[in-house]
Amino acid sequence: MDRTLHNVLWVSGESVKNFLSFGDIVIMDTTFNTTDFNYKLAILTGVDQHFNNTYFGMAILLRETTDYFTWLLSAFLKIMQQATGCNDADIKAKIKIMYTDQDRAMAGAINTVLPSTRHHLCAWHLNEKMHKNLNC
């Protein structure tokens, strides 16, 4: 029996309210390792009407694979559906645009779970890669 913790997703009541108000654009970021065990911290955020960051959810993932990101997005949508009483289609339609880094696993999960959502690459990550690869 595998007794390894694979994933944990945490969403608060306040983050459900934030998602309902500002969840049309979601940023998914996994920039940081969270422990010495190399679990990834995945943060789902957005921007409110005052251009402040607003939190939608946070997960700890064992791996950065399409399967793990598919789990994250599916679990997040299920929590939002249960917390709001909205149906699956309405919750999925809420997210119009999702920003990520250039992770192919994230892109695959978005295409699988949210096929109508437009996927964009984060300008900050693109700028960092440009400076690193072009020695600017």
Side-chain angles (χ1 to χ4, degrees), residues 44-113:
L44 299 168
T45 60
V47 179
D48 69 13
Q49 75 274 22
H50 302 291
F51 299 104
N52 295 316
N53 290 334
T54 185
Y55 158 81
F56 301 140
M58 182 183 310
I60 296 175
L61 304 175
L62 181 61
R63 309 242 187 285
E64 288 184 286
T65 66
T66 300
D67 287 343
Y68 281 86
F69 288 123
T70 298
W71 173 86
L72 169 59
L73 292 174
S74 297
F76 177 75
L77 294 171
K78 184 175 182 178
I79 287 171
M80 289 301 170
Q81 181 182 357
Q82 291 173 345
T84 64
C86 296
N87 66 42
D88 184 56
D90 288 343
I91 292 294
K92 286 182 177 181
K94 175 75 176 149
I95 304 173
K96 306 282 191 256
I97 298 171
M98 183 165 275
Y99 285 97
T100 69
D101 62 11
Q102 292 178 307
D103 191 306
R104 290 178 193 219
M106 283 184 193
I110 293 166
N111 288 336
T112 299
V113 178

Side-chain angles (χ1 to χ4, degrees), residues 129-136:
K129 296 243 183 195
M130 180 183 72
H131 286 291
K132 178 180 174 186
N133 293 325
L134 298 177
N135 297 319
C136 299

Side-chain angles (χ1 to χ4, degrees), residues 21-52:
S21 298
F22 311 111
D24 51 333
I25 298 174
V26 176
I27 303 157
M28 182 166 52
D29 187 23
T30 58
T31 305
F32 303 102
N33 287 335
T34 60
T35 69
D36 292 337
F37 301 105
N38 290 322
Y39 282 89
K40 300 296 181 183
L41 176 64
I43 302 172
L44 299 168
T45 60
V47 179
D48 69 13
Q49 75 274 22
H50 302 291
F51 299 104
N52 295 316

